[in-house]
Amino acid sequence: MKEVTLNISLLVLIIVTITVIVSFILLAYRSFINRIIKEKNAQHEAEVLHQKSLVLENIKVQEEERKRIAVMIHDDIGNRLNILSLWLNNLDTKGDEVIKKNIYSQMSSLIDAARSISHSLYPVNLESVGLVLYVEELIANLSHKINISLQVMPGYRKKDIFTEVQLYRIIQEFTTNVIKHSRATDLWIYIKDYPLYMAVVISDNGQGFEYDQVKKGMGIKNIESRVKSMNAVHKWKSTLKKGSRLIIIIPTNHEPANQNSAD
């Protein structure tokens, strides 16, 4: 009996020892796996931040180059055309008013074209007049193509120039896409400041679209790149035959926004 009891005790001890060793191995393995997962998550976050940084830097470089060319067209070529127009207007054409009228008409067209090219490259006067007035000018210029309603809620605060340029570009891109593809007759722009973020909603009453089919298009890519450059989040809501809507949430502290805010 003593021998049996001793053998049982020895067996129990062996089992306990094996259990402890296996538990230790499992804990060590689990700790190893968790460490690997954390390292991969950290690496992924670093890659995401790097990609965001590259997108932001790329957009800034593009905007600086566009600004340089736009200012040159607006301030140099535009002014020269205006001066030339004044000279032609005062030119003695020996009574030939037809020639004078044709030259003046062509010069006016060149001035309008230079201004249009300048505005399409970069919103030169946005920094001085602000986003709201610049969007109102865009609405006036497009009034013959589509009805656009702008609603800016009380308490709106002027943003930094980079944010306002990106927002103007997004509104411009969205509007251009709607006019070209959606057959919409009306477009609405809603802007409101909240304590921690700014909300911008753009919608239309056009044909709508399937996001998966158009997400690779340059228009959608440009809009989403500009959203990312502001550390903002966005959500597309589109229904075929019922129009589309873009919701953008921009944090006021420039920290990444929560995707749930756009829902």
Side-chain angles (χ1 to χ4, degrees):
M1 289 295 293
K2 289 182 179 180
E3 186 177 352
V4 171
T5 303
L6 182 61
N7 289 336
I8 292 174
S9 299
L10 182 61
L11 180 61
V12 170
L13 180 62
I14 292 173
I15 292 173
V16 170
T17 302
I18 292 174
T19 302
V20 170
I21 293 173
V22 170
S23 298
F24 177 78
I25 292 173
L26 289 175
L27 286 173
Y29 178 75
R30 188 174 183 181
S31 176
F32 172 75
I33 294 298
N34 288 337
R35 182 165 58 84
I36 294 297
I37 292 174
K38 286 181 180 179
E39 289 178 356
K40 286 187 175 181
N41 288 339
Q43 183 179 3
H44 176 70
E45 290 177 3
E47 289 176 357
V48 170
L49 289 175
H50 179 63
Q51 290 298 324
K52 283 186 176 181
S53 177
L54 289 178
V55 169
L56 177 59
E57 191 61 31
N58 184 45
I59 288 177
K60 284 184 175 180
V61 169
Q62 288 182 9
E63 292 295 350
E64 284 299 319
E65 184 62 16
R66 287 182 175 215
K67 182 177 181 180
R68 184 185 68 80
I69 298 172
V71 169
M72 181 180 67
I73 294 173
H74 184 272
D75 293 347
D76 186 13
I77 298 177
N79 287 338
R80 288 174 184 268
L81 287 172
N82 279 318
I83 292 171
L84 184 57
S85 177
L86 290 174
W87 285 353
L88 288 172
N89 195 38
N90 295 321
L91 184 65
D92 184 7
T93 55
K94 296 181 180 181
D96 196 340
E97 291 298 325
V98 175
I99 296 176
K100 186 176 180 179
K101 184 177 180 180
N102 287 338
I103 294 175
Y104 186 74
S105 175
Q106 291 297 320
M107 192 56 59
S108 296
S109 297
L110 283 173
I111 292 171
D112 291 340
R115 185 181 294 111
S116 176
I117 293 170
S118 175
H119 284 189
S120 66
L121 285 170
Y122 187 86
V124 178
N125 297 321
L126 190 147
E127 190 168 2
S128 58
V129 303
L131 173 67
V132 175
L133 289 179
Y134 221 78
V135 171
E136 287 178 350
E137 181 184 10
L138 176 68
I139 291 172
N141 292 335
L142 296 175
S143 60
H144 63 289
K145 294 183 178 180
I146 188 171
N147 297 318
I148 304 178
S149 174
L150 172 64
Q151 184 178 15
V152 181
M153 301 305 291
Y156 172 76
R157 301 179 298 276
K158 184 173 169 46
K159 303 300 181 290
D160 60 273
I161 185 61
F162 179 80
T163 299
E164 292 207 336
V165 168
Q166 301 316 305
L167 283 174
Y168 176 77
R169 288 292 193 205
I170 290 170
I171 292 171
Q172 187 182 42
E173 188 79 49
F174 187 99
T175 305
T176 300
N177 288 341
V178 166
I179 292 173
K180 285 184 177 179
H181 306 296
S182 77
R183 300 179 186 174
T185 58
D186 295 281
L187 187 146
W188 300 271
I189 304 168
Y190 173 87
I191 300 174
K192 183 175 182 179
D193 266 331
Y194 292 90
L196 298 179
Y197 62 89
M198 172 188 181
V200 178
V201 181
I202 318 170
S203 57
D204 68 83
N205 65 344
Q207 295 296 306
F209 61 88
E210 292 286 349
Y211 178 78
D212 290 336
Q213 295 179 5
V214 301
K215 65 181 179 180
K216 294 182 180 180
M218 289 305 297
I220 299 294
K221 281 185 177 180
N222 288 338
I223 289 174
E224 294 183 344
S225 293
R226 294 184 186 281
V227 170
K228 289 179 182 177
S229 74
M230 297 183 290
N231 271 334
V233 296
H234 71 287
K235 187 176 184 66
W236 291 98
K237 293 185 177 181
S238 182
T239 305
L240 291 178
K241 308 291 186 181
K242 293 184 179 180
S244 58
R245 176 180 296 178
L246 172 62
I247 304 170
I248 306 172
I249 302 299
I250 306 145
T252 54
N253 58 1
H254 297 288
E255 292 295 326
N258 188 337
Q259 180 65 51
N260 293 331
S261 302
D263 295 333

